[in-house]
Amino acid sequence: MMSRLIVLLPTVLAFAPVAFVPRSASSSSSCLSAILRVSPDEAQVPVPFLDTDTQKGFIECFVDSVAEVDGVEYTIGVPCDHSVALCYFHGDQLVPVELEDDLMDDVYPIVESIVAEEFGEELVLQRTPQTLTLVGELEEEDMEDEEDDDMDDEDADDGGEQVEVLLSFEHRDKEFNLVRLMDPVLLVGKEVEAGKRQLLSPEESDKVMPVLEKMFIDFHEEDEE
């Protein structure tokens, strides 16, 4: 069945996070060393984070900080472009399509072509590691509507991640949504050569991400005081 564009309208929803999105600190018994923010000049230089496990290229990030855990140095970066996700509704739950899922292989070319048709050269969708990215300028929407504010508060209480629906379309009798992630997405890598970082393997990510998340949250909370 042919895909059909339904709506192009910003709407704030919530769904389970697909990447490291800082929320609240959690305890860990691992040995911590230090976390340091990079200089303003370094923070403006795009750094490629390589996905060597799946051989799917790289994602460019601005480096936020550098942390050390058990003697290993990790770089924490924020994608240079807009972090987006492809989702669908399961009941009233908005579920992200996993990047390596067969469903992503089926639907990604469709949404990529829709973005190209709707926005031309203004926006380009990329299948980057860890999170899809949208290259180009997105207008900041005014979210002062009282009803939306009430919904946002409820979503935050439920622990869901806020997203903005950029477009919706049908494919094979199912509705999909391309959404922008409103919370910051942080990626972690290790230096493999000057100017490049390697994204963590799933095994190493499971081990160190809770520790890095706590360090990152504590560091930024102290920085705000």
Side-chain angles (χ1 to χ4, degrees):
M1 179 177 179
M2 295 294 292
S3 299
R4 178 170 62 88
L5 182 65
I6 298 175
V7 63
L8 185 61
L9 181 68
T11 307
V12 172
L13 301 169
F15 75 139
V18 296
F20 169 25
V21 179
R23 294 196 178 280
S24 58
S26 58
S27 61
S28 174
S29 58
S30 296
C31 175
L32 306 186
S33 179
I35 181 169
L36 298 173
R37 186 187 295 276
V38 300
S39 70
D41 289 341
E42 291 177 306
Q44 297 179 12
V45 179
V47 175
F49 279 51
L50 311 176
D51 186 7
T52 56
D53 285 340
T54 61
Q55 302 296 319
K56 289 289 180 67
F58 63 92
I59 180 170
E60 286 196 327
C61 295
F62 293 120
V63 175
D64 177 273
S65 48
V66 176
E68 185 177 309
V69 177
D70 294 337
V72 180
E73 186 175 280
Y74 298 93
T75 301
I76 301 173
V78 180
C80 298
D81 302 304
H82 303 287
S83 297
V84 297
L86 188 60
C87 310
Y88 61 91
F89 276 100
H90 181 71
D92 59 356
Q93 178 76 28
L94 191 61
V95 180
V97 179
E98 298 294 336
L99 291 179
E100 303 306 319
D101 195 291
D102 291 341
L103 181 59
M104 179 65 78
D105 294 335
D106 180 38
V107 180
Y108 178 81
I110 305 299
V111 67
E112 183 182 36
S113 65
I114 291 175
V115 170
E117 291 172 4
E118 291 296 311
F119 300 102
E121 297 181 355
E122 294 182 8
L123 293 173
V124 178
L125 184 64
Q126 295 186 331
R127 191 172 179 177
T128 42
Q130 301 292 317
T131 175
L132 299 178
T133 49
L134 196 60
V135 181
E137 296 296 327
L138 284 174
E139 294 183 2
E140 296 297 330
E141 296 295 329
D142 184 3
M143 307 305 294
E144 294 181 355
D145 183 83
E146 183 176 350
E147 182 178 347
D148 286 344
D149 287 343
D150 291 341
M151 182 172 63
D152 295 347
D153 293 339
E154 182 180 345
D155 291 338
D157 293 339
D158 291 340
E161 180 182 351
Q162 291 186 6
V163 300
E164 178 186 4
V165 177
L166 300 175
L167 61 84
S168 299
F169 62 98
E170 280 188 0
H171 179 58
R172 302 188 192 278
D173 296 324
K174 190 170 189 175
E175 182 175 336
F176 292 89
N177 300 274
L178 182 68
V179 304
R180 173 167 58 159
L181 309 183
M182 306 301 285
D183 292 327
V185 173
L186 304 177
L187 304 182
V188 178
K190 298 187 297 185
E191 187 171 14
V192 289
E193 60 181 276
K196 295 182 180 180
R197 304 294 187 272
Q198 177 181 329
L199 290 165
L200 305 185
S201 66
E203 295 77 17
E204 188 170 14
S205 178
D206 290 342
K207 178 182 177 181
V208 304
M209 287 300 278
V211 180
L212 291 171
E213 182 175 355
K214 183 182 186 305
M215 293 175 68
F216 183 86
I217 292 169
D218 290 346
F219 174 72
H220 281 271
E221 285 180 347
E222 292 174 0
D223 198 36
E224 293 174 357
E225 293 179 354

